[in-house]
Amino acid sequence: MRVVVTGANSAVGQAILRCGPKQGATHTFVAAVRSERAAEQIRPQLRNGSGVVRISYDDPGSLDAALQGASAVIHLAGILIEGVGSTYEQANVASTRNVAEAAKRSGVQKFVLVSATGADEASSNRYYRSKGQAEALVRASGLPYTVLRAPLLLGPGTAGAAALKRNVSRGKAKLIGGGHNLQQPLYVDDLARAAISVTEASVANNLTLDVVGPVSLPERELVERAARLLGREVRIGSISKTLLSLALAIRQRIGKPGFSRDVLEVITADTRLDPQPAASRIGIQLTGIDEMIQASFGEG
């Protein structure tokens, strides 16, 4: 089976390339990336006849060429923090629309979209709304699909792992609101295995699933747990969410891109979902919280 992975240089994309050869000898992967730098980054990870192609989400020809002969596409492209010339509409919505249209033209048999827990096209939060709009595009495309909604990810190369390392290494962690928001981290390799599994036409077809980790716990407990596993001590301080939101409102009003109130809402949202329905439907075993923490620090 030929599977195209867009945004293959992301942490999830690299996990798919890492886990793919172990999971299905019949799969070959086409890593679709936008820059030569990204292509060079992932070429050493390609195995079993897999390859890399350059694409532009605004160029239908490049998408058609990448998807030629593909049985499935795993669409990973998207952003949480907007930058200059990179908006939610462009990165989360338009890229999905263009890849779905190319998939239809190319006769792709399964579209897998990796989305986010909380995605909702009616949300007042611009990030959640854009993710919900991307999901709606996939459902309306006429393609067989699976949408995988993911929470905070831990493991090699993830932003969650980088934040955890910063908080533990300093001996004192200042968390927004004291870190009382509930996180339900998922191991990035578990998400990769889920995405590979659902490329099969018969697995979780035309379903939207919340693929979350096995444990929901306050962010401060996650940091403290990581410190204990590493034999360190960490003191938890607090950053006022109200004051930070006010500062971000001012920043947004003067037109500065970057960290915003939408992002603040996302990273402090509570996640407490039953992990078993998705895991059972897909047929994956979830990695334990301690193991994913250790893997995030390169010790697992």
Side-chain angles (χ1 to χ4, degrees):
M1 174 184 287
R2 182 179 174 89
V3 180
V4 176
V5 183
T6 64
N9 57 311
S10 65
V12 181
Q14 293 187 58
I16 289 171
L17 299 177
R18 182 169 64 246
C19 296
K22 305 173 187 176
Q23 186 162 341
T26 61
H27 288 70
T28 59
F29 296 92
V30 177
V33 297
R34 292 188 296 168
S35 70
E36 184 57 33
R37 179 180 179 183
E40 290 299 324
Q41 178 186 4
I42 61 176
R43 278 197 178 99
Q45 301 179 49
L46 299 175
R47 300 289 186 273
N48 298 344
S50 297
V52 59
V53 295
R54 292 274 303 277
I55 62 169
S56 168
Y57 295 112
D58 298 323
D59 178 9
S62 72
L63 294 175
D64 289 347
L67 291 170
Q68 184 176 10
S71 298
V73 57
I74 303 174
H75 184 54
L76 303 175
I79 57 171
L80 171 58
I81 300 177
E82 293 179 302
V84 177
S86 183
T87 66
Y88 290 143
E89 167 59 33
Q90 293 168 324
N92 297 349
V93 183
S95 73
T96 304
R97 179 187 299 111
N98 294 342
V99 173
E101 290 174 352
K104 289 179 68 176
R105 291 193 297 270
S106 303
V108 168
Q109 298 166 24
K110 189 71 174 288
F111 194 106
V112 180
L113 175 66
V114 174
S115 185
T117 54
D120 181 356
E121 60 181 325
S123 176
S124 61
N125 181 287
R126 294 173 55 249
Y127 171 77
Y128 286 141
R129 186 166 65 248
S130 69
K131 286 295 189 180
Q133 290 169 340
E135 292 183 5
L137 285 168
V138 172
R139 294 189 196 101
S141 68
L143 291 163
Y145 70 87
T146 304
V147 174
L148 302 177
R149 291 177 173 170
L152 170 73
L153 296 176
L154 292 180
T158 62
L164 197 57
K165 288 177 184 178
R166 287 194 302 271
N167 286 326
V168 170
S169 64
R170 295 171 179 171
K172 183 176 181 180
K174 298 193 75 174
L175 304 178
I176 299 168
H180 291 287
N181 56 295
L182 294 175
Q183 300 279 16
Q184 196 165 354
L186 175 70
Y187 188 39
V188 67
D189 284 23
D190 289 350
L191 179 57
R193 285 187 281 267
I196 295 167
S197 292
V198 301
T199 58
E200 299 286 349
S202 60
V203 180
N205 195 37
N206 294 342
L207 292 178
T208 298
L209 301 171
D210 288 301
V211 187
V212 295
V215 176
S216 176
L217 72 171
E219 184 182 11
R220 63 186 298 122
E221 289 187 19
L222 178 62
V223 173
E224 291 167 343
R225 190 165 189 153
R228 286 196 303 272
L229 284 171
L230 295 172
R232 302 178 185 176
E233 292 185 2
V234 62
R235 291 180 296 153
I236 305 295
S238 180
I239 299 171
S240 170
K241 183 176 178 179
T242 301
L243 292 179
L244 180 55
S245 180
L246 178 61
L248 291 173
I250 296 171
R251 175 191 176 96
Q252 198 165 351
R253 180 167 294 183
I254 62 177
K256 286 192 174 182
F259 197 91
S260 66
R261 286 190 296 174
D262 293 301
V263 177
L264 176 63
E265 183 179 351
V266 171
I267 66 174
T268 57
D270 287 329
T271 306
R272 182 162 53 187
L273 299 166
D274 184 351
Q276 289 309 313
S280 298
R281 175 75 70 162
I282 298 167
I284 59 170
Q285 193 77 24
L286 295 172
T287 301
I289 183 70
D290 289 345
E291 187 177 343
M292 68 176 87
I293 290 172
Q294 289 168 336
S296 296
F297 284 84
E299 299 185 10

